[in-house]
Amino acid sequence: MKYTDATIEEVDDALKRSWKAFELYRDFGLAQRAELMNAIARELEKEAENLILVAGKETHLDPARLQAELKRTIFQLESYAAACLNGAWLDARIDTADNKRKPAKPDLRKMLIPLGPVVVFGASNFPFAYSTAGGDTACALAAGCSVIVKAHPAHAETSELVAAAIKRALLAHIMPEEIFIHLHGAAFEVGKALVEHHLTRAVGFTGSLEGGRALFDIAATRPMPIPVFAEMGSVNPVFLMPKKLMQDPGSIAVQFAHSITQSGGQFCTNPGILVGIDNESLNLFIQCLHKEIEKVKPVEMLHPGIAKSFHEKRKNALQQNDVEVLSTTSFTSTELQTIPTIATVSASAFIVNPILHKEVFGAYSLLVKCGNMEEMLEVAKALEGQLTATIIATPREVNENLQLIESLKEMAGRLVLNGVPTGVDVALGMQHGGPYPATTDSRFTAVGADGIRRFARPFCYQNWDNDLLPDELKNDNPLHIWRTVNGQLTMDPVGVFTE
Amino acid sequence: MKYTDATIEEVDDALKRSWKAFELYRDFGLAQRAELMNAIARELEKEAENLILVAGKETHLDPARLQAELKRTIFQLESYAAACLNGAWLDARIDTADNKRKPAKPDLRKMLIPLGPVVVFGASNFPFAYSTAGGDTACALAAGCSVIVKAHPAHAETSELVAAAIKRALLAHIMPEEIFIHLHGAAFEVGKALVEHHLTRAVGFTGSLEGGRALFDIAATRPMPIPVFAEMGSVNPVFLMPKKLMQDPGSIAVQFAHSITQSGGQFCTNPGILVGIDNESLNLFIQCLHKEIEKVKPVEMLHPGIAKSFHEKRKNALQQNDVEVLSTTSFTSTELQTIPTIATVSASAFIVNPILHKEVFGAYSLLVKCGNMEEMLEVAKALEGQLTATIIATPREVNENLQLIESLKEMAGRLVLNGVPTGVDVALGMQHGGPYPATTDSRFTAVGADGIRRFARPFCYQNWDNDLLPDELKNDNPLHIWRTVNGQLTMDPVGVFTE
């Protein structure tokens, strides 16, 4: 181990320093926060070559993928900085006084304010975009929170480099260095101490169900409970309707073979379950899928622990009643690599076996064959909460299966029609989250600028003089943000008639 | 006991029926939900006379207060219905596709959808506004959730009458009757079973810290944790700055004497702690307050249990080191009544004694005398999370004590300047919530239409045909709601250039 775990004393010290920095940072205006985030983006750009080299060595992800991920990370910082500036996320509401009303109506002005120090646990599968300077950090900084990142041990050196880039951005802009603190902690005790600390105000986590739930439980049993936003992955079921499938089984199969196996299948939106009606169109789809999977070269997984888990879970899944291998890669895999695999099972065997409902993290997908639509609906109802669900269907098939659509809505945070669930666009319209166990809080998103709201709470100023209010709530709207004034969304100054 | 507690079997049956009703109700449009809420308001109006009579008998609150509370309840239903129709709360976001981008940008459309059956525990101190057809129920119905209310045993008959009014509204509008289900449960086991049930999706609670935390703990340890919005009251500290106090000690004292004692002090925003600098202006304030408190007639409390608790907690507080009675009512109180009381203590004794930081629910307030501003800041820092904090200050005193202001912001959900914390206006600008232990989730409000969001989660449609989308997200914006389209807030149809 190149880096030493933080001690309990170091964790305590880090939180105290983080709180002090928070006391300064929370009063930084939106423009200054955006400036910091853009500066971090610039520092990452400058360091790109080295970052990709080191991350490649640590994660075995190929340079093109890492390049794209770093670009995404930079885009996140920039677009959340723009959202921060735009200020719509503040949910500013102004209700002006009415002294004629009995009882008199007070002046009420509300906006979101930051929660306090946020602890971020990076993801093993996204060394940039969901780690040290990733989505959680960007959202917390936009909200006005200080951040403590616990480096993921599988890419600790990459994390060090990113942390150094953030520090350079802070120093260059003469901001308190400890707005951002970086710690190592391969042992669970470090994470536990970070979540338990009385100054910690929120937690962002991307990883396994076991890890996420453990942190959630620690946070919920604190004297003062705090929110944990744990994104814990899912199997992202895909429902294949026969008519749509029949239109072009070949290209749908090509699309899914790619979605299932890209980057070794190491995506939380990887389609791990395919559900179809056992007929001619499914057979054609299977034939094409088979050919595609055979061609996929195994890749080395993120780290030996993940590879070991893949092989164990795959083996266990394949040993379940009625499960058969449909196709695998034609190449030989080492124990550090994925074995791109499609297995198959009957709906009846699937429904009663919860082991088959669980994620096999890696390039693996299970095709569930149903006798009819009723059975497909039963499969849907048997599944737990998911980040995404996908349906391949004609408009008519959608309209004729509204009960299935309702089941998918109930289950997931995002419902894809005639596409693949992988490829999580960074946009306000994106929802990356979903009912438990996909996440611990389905009411928030981990991707897109709405994620900023995870780290803020509404705060109301009652009866404050205009001069004493923060700029966001002053009468003349100096920041030119959207506000709801006496029930009307507007950018106008208070007092000007709108609509 | 006039009403029988629901059995575990009845709870299970209620949740199953509620879920079935939810499956129908969630597809009701905004207009239909608003129609239902307005219909409930009309039914409550029709029943007003009887409701006030029965509630008066059960809670001992006077008719004028109950009349005002019923009016507020009706206003809540109507104004949340209007907010529901307005649709801004849906946070609709549309990002249109861009096929030229590499990789192609999908069409993403997001809005809030309802969580599922919501269990509501009514408040003892608000038989109408925060009980059966109160804020939580109104918000849940607006969100599209079905509701199960557990009647508060202290006003079970009032609850029955309100439930009957809701049922009449549902029947008159030919809506599934079981969108709303009413149960009794004086025993904790009933509430526990309701929160534990696997079909329950969220909980609204107004009451004691002990009760709220117990429900929170149950919800957090479920296999699938669910949110609990528990509003557990607070001491709502008031900080009296000497210069402002000196300007008009008399009328400030009159204002606070009223705020502390109205309705027997049985408000969660009751100012339970006053903090001042021990000098001339405070002495003048104390003299006036003393005269006012002497004049206050004791009233019978909500129920014998609350009266017993008031007398015990008051007695215990008065026995603490350095605590002295400053003034009490000049009338004799029975054991069922409050004893309007102001006690006093030095800041040094207060800071080290957590018993004095706790709420004495009723007409009781503790005046903390500080030697100087530093001590006042220490008092602020010693306090836990609060619904409100209040500061009586000149603009200059605000600007000269920004550290104190920051402490108050950190502590509370609402910060009142030169006013009283009681009187919680139903408005979008209101925040009724605050850091733990004031509530279990400071990120939401229990008053104002923003409370609707407690019972909804974001859901994204990716790549859906326009015809298949819900009206809220269709291109032509048939519901005429505010949406963020490609980053711009607008009511325009998609495709029309905005700003």
Side-chain angles (χ1 to χ4, degrees):
Chain A
M1 191 64 71
K2 196 172 166 183
Y3 300 100
T4 317
D5 277 13
T7 63
I8 300 298
E9 291 71 30
E10 283 164 347
V11 166
D12 178 55
D13 181 58
L15 259 310
K16 284 174 182 158
R17 291 183 289 129
S18 186
W19 186 272
K20 278 200 174 153
F22 166 63
E23 289 187 330
L24 300 167
Y25 186 56
R26 65 182 168 195
D27 292 328
F28 281 32
L30 300 178
Q32 271 180 292
R33 296 183 205 167
E35 188 186 320
L36 171 61
M37 294 163 74
N38 285 321
I40 295 170
R42 294 294 80 70
E43 291 295 336
L44 293 179
E45 260 168 4
K46 283 187 220 161
E47 188 75 7
E49 209 175 322
N50 193 29
L51 283 172
I52 287 162
L53 198 77
V54 173
K57 211 175 55 188
E58 289 191 312
T59 65
H60 319 110
L61 293 168
D62 66 65
R65 147 70 201 265
L66 286 169
Q67 211 128 32
E69 190 189 325
L70 185 60
K71 213 176 128 191
R72 177 195 180 91
T73 311
I74 289 165
F75 178 73
Q76 282 175 173
L77 283 158
E78 290 171 345
S79 66
Y80 300 175
C84 174
L85 258 179
N86 164 296
W89 67 275
L90 292 166
D91 282 343
R93 281 97 166 74
I94 297 176
D95 288 289
T96 53
D98 178 359
N99 292 319
K100 285 181 203 145
R101 201 193 66 176
K102 303 274 172 204
K105 185 168 171 282
D107 185 279
L108 296 167
R109 305 196 181 208
K110 185 169 74 167
M111 61 181 274
L112 295 188
I113 64 170
L115 288 181
V118 174
V119 170
V120 174
F121 294 79
S124 68
N125 59 339
F126 277 97
F128 301 131
Y130 297 97
S131 289
T132 320
D136 289 352
T137 298
C139 286
L141 290 177
C145 295
S146 55
V147 174
I148 298 180
V149 165
K150 191 195 80 60
H152 197 288
H155 46 72
E157 196 180 338
T158 307
S159 197
E160 276 285 333
L161 290 173
V162 173
I166 297 174
K167 291 282 178 195
R168 285 197 298 276
L170 282 162
L171 286 173
H173 287 74
I174 322 169
M175 292 188 186
E177 201 194 340
E178 294 179 327
I179 289 172
F180 179 87
I181 290 175
H182 188 242
L183 297 176
H184 292 277
F188 180 69
E189 280 61 39
V190 181
K192 183 167 179 276
L194 284 164
V195 178
E196 273 175 349
H197 199 282
H198 72 284
L199 294 176
T200 302
R201 285 291 177 273
V203 177
F205 169 89
T206 314
S208 70
L209 175 58
E210 294 68 29
R213 181 69 196 237
L215 296 182
F216 174 86
D217 289 344
I218 292 167
T221 49
R222 286 167 45 124
M224 178 207 219
I226 54 170
V228 172
F229 303 98
E231 195 263 85
M232 305 177 291
S234 64
V235 289
N236 305 291
V238 179
F239 293 79
L240 305 158
M241 296 288 145
K243 287 198 189 91
K244 184 66 182 178
L245 202 57
M246 200 58 177
Q247 285 177 9
D248 198 354
S251 70
I252 296 171
V254 169
Q255 225 184 344
F256 276 94
H258 179 251
S259 176
I260 293 164
T261 61
Q262 66 177 317
S263 287
Q266 299 169 111
F267 287 119
C268 48
T269 53
N270 198 51
I273 291 177
L274 309 171
V275 191
I277 304 284
D278 194 3
N279 64 13
E280 180 60 14
S281 67
L282 193 69
N283 287 336
L284 288 169
F285 171 78
I286 288 172
Q287 285 167 26
C288 301
L289 191 63
H290 179 69
K291 276 186 216 152
E292 289 299 317
I293 295 293
E294 277 194 323
K295 289 189 279 183
V296 180
K297 285 191 185 149
V299 294
E300 185 164 346
M301 294 190 80
L302 291 159
H303 58 83
I306 280 193
K308 185 161 173 270
S309 170
F310 169 78
H311 287 283
E312 282 171 6
K313 285 188 176 163
R314 176 180 176 276
K315 195 174 157 196
N316 186 34
L318 295 180
Q319 282 170 350
Q320 298 302 307
N321 183 33
D322 197 43
V323 175
E324 282 172 35
V325 171
L326 195 72
S327 47
T328 57
T329 175
S330 57
F331 300 88
T332 313
S333 301
T334 72
E335 61 181 10
L336 293 176
Q337 293 178 323
T338 51
I339 312 173
T341 305
I342 308 287
T344 182
V345 68
S346 67
S348 52
F350 177 84
I351 288 165
V352 296
N353 189 349
I355 292 170
L356 298 176
H357 306 184
K358 303 280 177 209
E359 191 177 9
V360 178
F361 190 75
Y364 173 91
S365 197
L366 178 64
L367 177 74
V368 182
K369 290 182 179 177
C370 305
N372 50 44
M373 283 308 304
E374 285 68 40
E375 223 174 30
M376 187 180 268
L377 185 61
E378 273 180 67
V379 169
K381 283 184 187 288
L383 290 168
E384 291 182 290
Q386 308 286 339
L387 291 169
T388 73
T390 299
I391 182 161
I392 303 297
T394 62
R396 190 163 170 175
E397 282 176 317
V398 169
N399 281 323
E400 282 172 353
N401 293 286
L402 293 178
Q403 231 191 319
L404 177 65
I405 302 291
E406 285 296 339
S407 267
L408 303 186
K409 279 179 71 175
E410 211 167 273
M411 165 202 306
R414 176 165 55 107
L415 184 49
V416 182
L417 179 63
N418 300 322
V420 294
T422 47
V424 182
D425 230 74
V426 178
L428 212 50
M430 174 56 67
Q431 174 61 14
H432 192 64
Y436 189 87
T439 74
T440 44
D441 195 340
S442 68
R443 293 165 305 153
F444 294 89
T445 181
V447 175
D450 277 336
I452 300 173
R453 288 188 177 158
R454 289 176 295 171
F455 304 117
R457 66 180 170 95
F459 181 81
C460 168
Y461 294 85
Q462 179 170 327
N463 200 29
W464 282 65
D465 304 9
N466 187 55
D467 291 350
L468 300 174
L469 286 165
D471 285 350
E472 290 86 341
L473 298 174
K474 283 196 168 88
N475 283 334
D476 59 353
N477 195 12
L479 302 182
H480 202 56
I481 60 174
W482 282 100
R483 313 187 296 186
T484 304
V485 179
N486 295 325
Q488 296 288 334
L489 253 170
T490 178
M491 281 193 180
D492 287 342
V494 173
V496 169
F497 182 78
T498 50
E499 290 202 50
Chain B
M1 189 66 68
K2 196 170 164 184
Y3 300 98
T4 318
D5 277 12
T7 62
I8 301 299
E9 291 70 31
E10 282 164 347
V11 166
D12 178 57
D13 179 57
L15 258 311
K16 284 176 182 157
R17 289 183 289 130
S18 186
W19 186 271
K20 278 202 174 152
F22 167 63
E23 289 187 330
L24 300 168
Y25 187 55
R26 66 182 167 194
D27 293 329
F28 281 34
L30 300 179
Q32 271 180 292
R33 296 183 205 167
E35 187 186 320
L36 171 60
M37 294 163 73
N38 286 321
I40 295 170
R42 292 296 78 71
E43 291 295 335
L44 293 179
E45 260 169 4
K46 283 188 220 160
E47 188 76 4
E49 209 175 324
N50 192 30
L51 283 172
I52 287 162
L53 198 78
V54 173
K57 210 176 53 188
E58 288 190 311
T59 65
H60 319 110
L61 294 168
D62 67 64
R65 146 72 201 264
L66 287 169
Q67 209 129 31
E69 190 189 325
L70 185 60
K71 211 176 129 192
R72 177 196 180 91
T73 310
I74 289 165
F75 178 72
Q76 282 174 172
L77 283 159
E78 289 172 345
S79 66
Y80 300 175
C84 173
L85 258 180
N86 165 295
W89 68 275
L90 292 166
D91 282 343
R93 282 96 166 74
I94 297 176
D95 288 289
T96 53
D98 179 359
N99 292 319
K100 284 180 203 146
R101 201 192 67 176
K102 303 271 172 204
K105 186 168 171 283
D107 184 279
L108 295 167
R109 305 195 180 208
K110 186 168 73 168
M111 62 181 273
L112 296 187
I113 64 170
L115 288 180
V118 174
V119 170
V120 174
F121 294 80
S124 66
N125 59 339
F126 277 98
F128 301 131
Y130 297 98
S131 289
T132 320
D136 290 351
T137 297
C139 285
L141 290 177
C145 296
S146 54
V147 174
I148 297 180
V149 165
K150 190 195 81 59
H152 197 289
H155 45 72
E157 194 180 338
T158 307
S159 197
E160 277 283 333
L161 290 174
V162 173
I166 297 174
K167 292 283 178 195
R168 285 197 297 278
L170 282 161
L171 285 173
H173 288 74
I174 323 169
M175 293 187 186
E177 201 194 339
E178 293 179 331
I179 289 173
F180 179 87
I181 291 175
H182 188 244
L183 297 177
H184 292 278
F188 181 69
E189 280 60 39
V190 180
K192 184 166 178 277
L194 284 165
V195 177
E196 273 175 348
H197 199 283
H198 73 283
L199 293 176
T200 302
R201 285 292 177 272
V203 177
F205 170 89
T206 313
S208 70
L209 176 57
E210 293 69 29
R213 181 70 195 237
L215 296 183
F216 175 86
D217 289 344
I218 293 167
T221 48
R222 287 167 45 124
M224 178 208 219
I226 54 170
V228 172
F229 303 97
E231 195 265 86
M232 305 177 291
S234 65
V235 289
N236 306 290
V238 178
F239 293 80
L240 305 157
M241 296 290 144
K243 288 199 189 93
K244 184 67 183 179
L245 202 57
M246 201 57 177
Q247 286 177 10
D248 199 354
S251 70
I252 296 170
V254 170
Q255 225 184 344
F256 276 93
H258 179 249
S259 176
I260 292 164
T261 60
Q262 65 177 315
S263 288
Q266 299 169 111
F267 287 118
C268 47
T269 54
N270 197 52
I273 290 178
L274 309 171
V275 191
I277 306 284
D278 194 2
N279 65 12
E280 180 59 16
S281 67
L282 194 67
N283 288 336
L284 288 169
F285 171 78
I286 287 173
Q287 286 167 25
C288 301
L289 191 63
H290 179 70
K291 276 185 217 153
E292 290 299 317
I293 296 293
E294 278 195 320
K295 289 189 280 185
V296 179
K297 285 191 185 147
V299 295
E300 185 163 347
M301 295 190 79
L302 291 159
H303 58 83
I306 280 194
K308 186 161 173 270
S309 170
F310 170 78
H311 288 282
E312 281 171 8
K313 286 189 176 162
R314 176 180 176 277
K315 196 176 159 195
N316 186 35
L318 296 179
Q319 281 169 351
Q320 298 302 306
N321 184 33
D322 198 44
V323 175
E324 282 172 34
V325 171
L326 196 73
S327 47
T328 56
T329 173
S330 58
F331 301 88
T332 314
S333 302
T334 72
E335 61 180 10
L336 293 176
Q337 292 178 324
T338 51
I339 312 173
T341 305
I342 309 286
T344 182
V345 69
S346 68
S348 52
F350 177 82
I351 288 165
V352 297
N353 189 348
I355 291 170
L356 297 176
H357 306 184
K358 303 279 177 209
E359 189 177 11
V360 178
F361 190 76
Y364 173 92
S365 197
L366 177 65
L367 178 73
V368 182
K369 289 182 178 176
C370 304
N372 51 43
M373 283 308 304
E374 286 68 41
E375 224 175 27
M376 187 180 267
L377 185 60
E378 274 179 66
V379 169
K381 283 185 187 287
L383 290 169
E384 291 182 290
Q386 307 287 339
L387 291 169
T388 73
T390 299
I391 182 161
I392 303 298
T394 63
R396 192 165 170 173
E397 282 176 318
V398 169
N399 282 322
E400 283 171 353
N401 293 286
L402 293 179
Q403 232 191 318
L404 177 65
I405 304 290
E406 285 296 338
S407 267
L408 303 186
K409 278 178 71 175
E410 211 167 89
M411 166 202 304
R414 176 165 56 108
L415 185 49
V416 182
L417 179 62
N418 300 322
V420 293
T422 46
V424 183
D425 230 75
V426 178
L428 213 48
M430 175 54 67
Q431 175 60 15
H432 192 65
Y436 188 88
T439 73
T440 44
D441 195 339
S442 68
R443 295 166 303 153
F444 294 88
T445 181
V447 175
D450 278 335
I452 300 173
R453 287 188 177 158
R454 290 177 293 170
F455 304 117
R457 66 180 171 94
F459 182 81
C460 169
Y461 294 84
Q462 180 170 327
N463 200 28
W464 282 65
D465 305 9
N466 188 56
D467 291 350
L468 300 174
L469 286 165
D471 285 349
E472 290 85 343
L473 298 175
K474 283 195 167 87
N475 284 334
D476 59 354
N477 195 11
L479 301 181
H480 202 56
I481 61 174
W482 282 99
R483 312 187 296 186
T484 304
V485 179
N486 295 325
Q488 297 287 336
L489 253 171
T490 179
M491 280 193 181
D492 286 341
V494 172
V496 169
F497 181 77
T498 51
E499 289 202 51

